[in-house]
């Protein structure tokens, strides 16, 4: 199958550089990488252009104007106008991938399912060291890594853990998720009425499950490492959008604009 990796970014080229370097080191390179850019300044464009000649697959820059936090809109733009693959893996700019990340997602991909995975949490000193050009293979014995259980690569255990946390309606990581493009089109993509931090991933999971698409959890595989940064509070209004209509299957303003919602 053809796999697209969509990376969300906004004005943090130093982190995006580390992310792209980890993509280049993959044992299974994606068929295309699309940067879903929510209005970054020229430094991000210049970084992407510096990677394009040496990148092992097409590296596409899907930019929208900066009109506030519009992650849903930037992802829809990447899907609608740039994605040519059957299966889409989503991460954020602040994720460093284990070398088997894409291969793991390919192995556990299953029709009728979408996947959400965990990540480690790098503390600020280690994050600063990496952003300044420091070298590390990010192994289990590194200091400055929290949630180390999420860096154990034991794919043979995945079949008995794949439905972990699936009973939790709020559980899911938008910075490590994968789904079939056709399933995203069925629910009309990400809800662009969700603006500001948080909620868009939970809403997508909710609508996918309402369409009978099952949630799988990528435990002991598809490992990502999350760089430290200050975290915003999830906006309450966004969670209302996600759950005030708990049975809905499609959003009004998504990959297309629907009038019958």
């Amino acid at each position: 199958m053809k796999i697209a990796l969509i990376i969300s970014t906004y004005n943090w080229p130093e982190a995006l550089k580390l992310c792209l370097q980890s993509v280049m080191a993959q044992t299974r390179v994606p068929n295309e990488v699309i940067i879903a850019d929510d209005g970054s300044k020229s430094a991000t464009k210049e970084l992407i252009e510096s990677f394009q000649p040496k990148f092992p697959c097409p590296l596409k820059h899907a930019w929208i104007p900066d009109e506030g936090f519009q992650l849903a809109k930037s992802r829809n733009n990447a899907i609608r106008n740039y994605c040519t693959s059957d299966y889409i893996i989503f991460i954020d700019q602040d994720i460093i991938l284990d070398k088997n990340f894409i291969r793991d997602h390919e192995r556990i991909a299953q029709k009728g399912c979408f996947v959400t995975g965990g990540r480690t949490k790098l503390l600020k000193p280690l994050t600063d060291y990496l952003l300044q050009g420091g070298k590390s293979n990010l192994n289990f014995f590194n200091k400055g890594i929290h949630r180390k259980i999420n860096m154990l690569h034991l794919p043979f255990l995945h079949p008995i853990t794949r439905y972990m946390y699936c009973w939790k309606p709020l559980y899911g990581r938008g910075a490590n998720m994968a789904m079939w493009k056709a399933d995203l089109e069925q629910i009309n993509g990400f809800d662009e009425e969700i603006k500001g931090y948080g909620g868009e991933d939970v809403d997508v999971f909710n609508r996918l499950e309402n369409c009978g698409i099952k949630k799988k959890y990528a435990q002991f595989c598809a490992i990502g490492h999350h760089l430290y940064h200050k975290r915003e509070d999830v906006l309450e209004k966004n969670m209302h959008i996600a759950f005030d209509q708990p049975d809905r299957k499609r959003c009004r303003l998504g990959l297309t604009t629907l009038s019958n919602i």
Side-chain angles (χ1 to χ4, degrees):
M1 63 183 181
K2 290 184 64 179
I3 297 176
L5 178 67
I6 293 183
I7 306 173
S8 304
T9 195
Y10 177 71
N11 278 336
W12 198 8
E14 297 84 2
L16 182 60
K17 179 180 179 180
L18 295 178
C19 181
L20 290 175
Q21 287 172 340
S22 72
V23 176
M24 294 181 70
Q26 291 297 294
T27 56
R28 196 293 197 196
V29 176
N31 296 88
E32 57 185 347
V33 173
I34 307 166
I35 310 299
D37 190 342
D38 193 10
S40 297
K41 297 179 180 178
S42 60
T44 295
K45 180 176 182 289
E46 292 165 4
L47 174 74
I48 294 168
E49 289 176 345
S50 74
F51 270 88
Q52 284 172 330
K54 58 187 177 183
F55 216 69
C57 67
L59 177 59
K60 307 173 184 180
H61 187 195
W63 183 89
I64 62 172
D66 185 357
E67 297 174 346
F69 193 110
Q70 298 186 100
L71 178 56
K73 185 175 182 179
S74 67
R75 282 175 170 164
N76 282 343
N77 176 53
I79 297 163
R80 182 194 309 113
N81 297 317
Y82 295 86
C83 181
T84 63
S85 298
D86 314 298
Y87 196 69
I88 306 175
I89 303 169
F90 294 91
I91 63 171
D92 292 338
Q93 64 186 359
D94 53 14
I95 301 294
I96 298 175
L97 305 181
D98 173 78
K99 66 180 182 179
N100 294 306
F101 183 87
I102 302 295
R103 184 179 297 279
D104 284 341
H105 267 294
E106 180 180 42
R107 181 177 53 81
I108 65 178
Q110 179 182 346
K111 290 288 187 180
C113 295
F114 68 96
V115 175
T116 176
R119 60 201 181 187
T120 70
K121 183 178 180 181
L122 306 188
L123 301 185
K124 189 176 187 301
L126 180 55
T127 295
D128 290 344
Y129 170 77
L130 294 173
L131 290 172
Q132 293 164 11
K135 303 298 181 182
S136 174
N137 61 2
L138 296 178
N139 61 61
F140 191 82
F141 301 101
N142 281 133
K143 294 181 180 180
I145 303 178
H146 280 187
R147 301 176 185 164
K148 285 191 174 182
I149 191 173
N150 288 334
M151 69 188 306
L152 292 175
H153 191 251
L154 303 169
F156 63 91
L157 290 179
H158 176 258
I160 64 174
T161 63
R162 61 183 179 174
Y163 296 113
M164 289 176 65
Y165 310 111
C166 292
W167 57 273
K168 294 184 177 182
L170 291 177
Y171 194 89
R173 299 293 186 187
N176 181 358
M177 60 182 177
M179 55 203 70
W180 296 94
K181 184 180 180 182
D183 292 339
L184 266 174
E185 291 171 341
Q186 181 180 355
I187 65 169
N188 200 28
F190 293 88
D191 189 345
E192 295 185 15
E193 293 185 88
I194 297 179
K195 299 179 181 180
Y197 181 75
E200 68 290 318
D201 48 358
V202 174
D203 172 63
V204 161
F205 298 160
N206 183 47
R207 287 185 281 120
L208 285 168
E209 291 185 284
N210 287 341
C211 289
I213 312 300
K214 295 181 179 179
K215 178 166 59 177
K216 291 173 62 176
Y217 188 72
Q219 183 69 51
F220 301 131
C221 60
I223 297 165
H225 304 285
H226 184 238
L227 297 170
Y228 170 85
H229 61 82
K230 292 182 180 179
R231 185 171 178 175
E232 301 178 60
D233 292 327
V234 175
L235 294 177
E236 185 176 349
K237 69 177 181 64
N238 288 351
M239 301 313 295
H240 282 305
I241 291 174
F243 289 103
D244 280 353
Q245 304 174 69
D247 299 323
R248 74 172 182 158
K249 298 179 179 180
R250 309 187 79 192
C251 60
R252 184 187 65 81
L253 186 59
L255 289 174
T256 60
T257 301
L258 303 177
S259 58
N260 59 344
I261 295 295

